[in-house]
Amino acid sequence: MPAGFFNDKRMKMPETLSVAAQERLQHELRPGEELHWAGRPGKAELRHKALTYAFAGAGLVLSLCMAWALAHFMGFAAWVLMVPVSLLCFVLDYFMRRRTRHMVYMVTNHRVVWVVLHQPQVHSLALRQNMVSGTVMRAAGRGDIIFTADASGDAVDSFYNIPHVRKVVSLINDLSAGR
């Protein structure tokens, strides 16, 4: 299942997106804007998930041990305090992954766009030269693109874990070259 696509001219939406998502992306295009690429963040790699859950599990075990040790002094209050705090790692990880599950990235001839499906949120940056401040490469051509909003070089947002990251960076640089 391809997670992104490229285009030389105006193109139709990818089939990997639902009809509602395709309509939403079409609705977000401004007059005169042409879609050149759209994609979604890839799923986290197994080693990243394993590392996250290993630390969360270790934190849970440590918290439970501390609660058991503190139970001699504090009684039941130690359990009431420590168990929810230890479960916080799992909850935060779930919500971070949930947000990226509904994210779609777009590159048009005028801007780069972050669309959160099922929410009215749309974030975009106008194309300009040197807007890509860096990339993070992963296996199989996947990676992150880090963007800046102005000449200061401060990172403001990124396309996370997208396929063919070098091609997308090249496309953004080509589109912004004429600006």
Side-chain angles (χ1 to χ4, degrees), residues 45-67:
E45 297 169 1
L46 180 60
R47 63 186 162 95
H48 178 267
K49 287 181 185 178
L51 188 61
T52 299
Y53 290 126
F55 278 111
L60 178 63
V61 169
L62 179 63
S63 296
L64 292 175
C65 289
M66 286 177 57

Side-chain angles (χ1 to χ4, degrees), residues 25-83:
L25 293 184
Q26 192 65 39
H27 176 72
E28 293 302 331
L29 291 174
R30 297 174 181 165
E33 218 171 19
E34 296 176 359
L35 181 64
H36 287 269
W37 179 85
R40 300 183 85 156
K43 295 182 179 181
E45 297 169 1
L46 180 60
R47 63 186 162 95
H48 178 267
K49 287 181 185 178
L51 188 61
T52 299
Y53 290 126
F55 278 111
L60 178 63
V61 169
L62 179 63
S63 296
L64 292 175
C65 289
M66 286 177 57
W68 181 77
L70 291 174
H72 296 295
F73 301 108
M74 296 175 59
F76 186 70
W79 291 100
V80 171
L81 261 163
M82 297 304 285
V83 171

